[in-house]
């Protein structure tokens, strides 16, 4: 079977990635590499790595993350006892990088506005080391079950799970959190290798519809952020409607929103766009980043880091 990509998406990609189109399609045809982090809420990193080595696993650090490792052979960890015990969390490496950007410290108050199934929420909790508070919210009751199960498996003791519409949540808790993550629902073009249907059915309306939701979520998340706090906005997709257009609208509306240079290391990425297809965005967008699968060797993401001046 070969990857089927809608005509709309092909024409967007031709324009957007140019001569990297074949590389992108090749990435879509391959499974993602298996990466994991050691859940230090349950076990010391060195102890766990030694256990995995004794099991015959070959483990190498992911160079662009703080906590990530690749594991070989693949497919072993996600069904292992270590996974069930919560010693390891199998997660895409770029997803781990997003949490690193939040600069979590033990003791801080964190809101994860769209948290299910909890890959980043459990990573945040690990960085908090049981100190401070993590509010992990999502609007989907079904997906909250997976979030709750992952939080429990990982031994998160300082987490509160809430079921609320993230578009309103932030206005009820204004300037309460030191860190806010808005990992927004998106068209998922960065993880098309997991599910080819997103490639087959994408059309521009998909991204336009999502952009409205994403903008509302971002504005709400920003309202919940304390002065001096950090918010990370991320999507696992590429379209500027869902990315620069959303972040730019926040920066233009809120004079105290400062876009922070990301300082990514050991990974290739594209700077965010200042304009696209007759749309002009804030010049601050060049401090945001778009990571394609052919650059990460894994998932694709867009990420922006914002500080609320104060
Ligand atoms: C990209 S996923 C989040 C993945 C999660 N952060 C993780 O790392 O495991 C986006 C999530 O947004 C949730 N969502 C969609 N609309 C929402 C809304 N209005 N308020 C809060 N969450 C919403 C979806 O249910 C979905 O779980």
């Amino acid at each position: 079977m070969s990857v089927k990509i809608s005509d709309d998406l092909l024409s967007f990609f031709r324009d957007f990635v140019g001569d990297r189109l074949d590389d992108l399609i090749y990435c879509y045809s391959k499974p993602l590499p298996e990466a994991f982090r050691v859940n230090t809420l349950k076990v010391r990193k060195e102890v766990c790595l030694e256990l995995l080595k004794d099991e015959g696993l070959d483990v190498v650090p992911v160079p662009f993350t703080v906590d990530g490792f690749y594991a070989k052979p693949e497919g072993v960890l996600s069904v292992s006892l270590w996974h069930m015990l919560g010693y390891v969390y199998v997660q895409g490496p770029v997803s781990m990088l997003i949490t690193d950007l939040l600069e979590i410290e033990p003791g801080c108050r964190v809101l994860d506005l769209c948290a299910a199934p909890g890959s980043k929420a459990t990573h945040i909790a690990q960085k908090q080391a049981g100190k401070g508070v993590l509010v992990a919210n999502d609007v989907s009751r079904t997906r909250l079950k997976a979030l709750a199960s992952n939080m429990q498996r990982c031994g998160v003791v300082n987490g509160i799970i809430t079921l609320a519409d993230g578009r309103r949540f932030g206005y009820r808790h204004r300037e309460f959190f030191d860190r806010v993550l808005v990992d927004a629902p998106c068209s998922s073009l960065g993880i098309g290798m997991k599910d080819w249907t997103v490639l087959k059915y994408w059309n521009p309306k998909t991204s336009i519809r999502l952009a409205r939701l994403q903008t509302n979520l971002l504005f709400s998340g920003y309202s919940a952020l304390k002065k001096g706090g950090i918010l990370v906005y991320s999507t696992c997709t590429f379209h500027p409607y869902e990315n620069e257009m959303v972040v730019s609208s926040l920066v233009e509306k809120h004079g105290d929103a400062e876009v922070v240079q990301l300082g990514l290391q050991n990974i290739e990425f594209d700077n965010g766009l200042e304009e696209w297809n007759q749309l002009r965005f804030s010049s601050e967008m060049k401090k945001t980043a778009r990571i394609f699968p052919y650059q990460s060797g894994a998932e694709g993401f867009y990420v922006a880091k914002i500080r609320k001046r104060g």
Side-chain angles (χ1 to χ4, degrees):
M1 271 219 311
S2 60
V3 189
K4 295 224 168 27
I5 301 185
S6 72
D7 290 345
D8 280 331
L9 189 54
L10 261 184
S11 99
F12 165 67
F13 277 156
R14 274 198 196 102
D15 173 46
F16 204 63
V17 300
D19 57 7
R20 306 290 317 246
L21 180 61
D22 287 346
D23 296 335
L24 185 57
I25 294 176
Y26 176 67
C27 292
Y28 283 143
S29 69
K30 288 189 315 175
L32 289 167
E34 187 163 81
F36 73 97
R37 57 185 160 79
V38 176
N39 173 26
T40 48
L41 291 175
K42 283 252 172 127
V43 63
R44 289 209 342 260
K45 199 185 271 187
E46 313 76 61
V47 172
C48 184
L49 293 180
E50 206 53 47
L51 287 171
L52 299 179
K53 231 187 259 169
D54 291 348
E55 287 282 308
L57 277 167
D58 189 16
V59 165
V60 251
V62 178
F64 54 84
T65 67
V66 176
D67 299 314
F69 293 92
Y70 291 117
K72 290 243 165 65
E74 301 201 337
V76 175
L77 264 189
S78 53
V79 291
S80 68
L81 179 65
W82 315 122
H83 164 80
M84 281 182 251
L85 286 170
Y87 281 20
V88 298
Y89 196 105
V90 176
Q91 183 179 3
V94 187
S95 167
M96 293 186 229
L97 170 65
I98 304 296
T99 316
D100 290 342
L101 294 171
L102 271 168
E103 298 179 33
I104 303 287
E105 280 160 21
C108 62
R109 284 186 200 163
V110 187
L111 169 63
D112 186 349
L113 196 62
C114 308
S119 302
K120 298 182 191 70
T122 51
H123 193 191
I124 290 168
Q126 164 179 342
K127 288 176 184 286
Q128 287 177 308
K131 301 190 185 83
V133 178
L134 166 63
V135 175
N137 176 71
D138 204 279
V139 81
S140 159
R141 196 178 285 274
T142 325
R143 288 173 66 94
L144 271 194
K145 287 184 192 152
L147 172 65
S149 144
N150 280 327
M151 298 263 275
Q152 191 172 30
R153 181 170 60 83
C154 291
V156 178
V157 291
N158 59 326
I160 298 167
I161 294 177
T162 56
L163 171 66
D165 188 333
R167 289 173 291 186
R168 288 196 279 275
F169 191 93
Y171 300 109
R172 298 200 195 106
H173 307 279
R174 287 175 197 265
E175 304 208 336
F176 186 78
F177 294 94
D178 302 295
R179 301 285 183 270
V180 174
L181 175 62
V182 181
D183 187 35
C186 68
S187 56
S188 303
L189 301 179
I191 50 169
M193 53 295 268
K194 280 192 190 173
D195 176 8
W196 287 351
T197 55
V198 300
L199 308 173
K200 192 171 166 190
Y201 295 113
W202 182 90
N203 65 55
K205 282 191 196 145
T206 318
S207 292
I208 292 169
R209 179 180 53 79
L210 283 161
R212 200 170 308 133
L213 171 61
Q214 290 153 342
T215 306
N216 288 330
L217 288 167
L218 177 59
F219 275 64
S220 165
Y222 189 72
S223 163
L225 185 68
K226 274 188 195 167
K227 288 190 171 54
I230 294 171
L231 178 150
V232 167
Y233 174 80
S234 57
T235 69
C236 53
T237 204
F238 310 126
H239 203 288
Y241 286 160
E242 299 183 55
N243 296 314
E244 285 91 342
M245 193 171 86
V246 173
V247 179
S248 191
S249 68
L250 181 90
V251 171
E252 276 156 18
K253 178 86 198 280
H254 290 277
D256 57 358
E258 174 196 354
V259 182
V260 181
Q261 195 75 50
L262 294 169
L264 302 180
Q265 285 183 357
N266 303 321
I267 186 167
E268 269 183 56
F269 61 92
D270 285 4
N271 290 325
L273 303 170
E274 291 174 61
E275 60 183 314
W276 178 77
N277 213 9
Q278 293 166 8
L279 286 174
R280 285 201 65 78
F281 309 121
S282 153
S283 61
E284 291 292 281
M285 293 307 101
K286 60 180 176 296
K287 296 182 187 162
T288 69
R290 184 176 277 92
I291 303 169
F292 288 98
Y294 49 76
Q295 295 169 320
S296 66
E299 328 94 290
F301 261 91
Y302 169 86
V303 62
K305 180 169 172 175
I306 294 155
R307 193 189 307 277
K308 192 182 265 187
R309 288 193 192 93

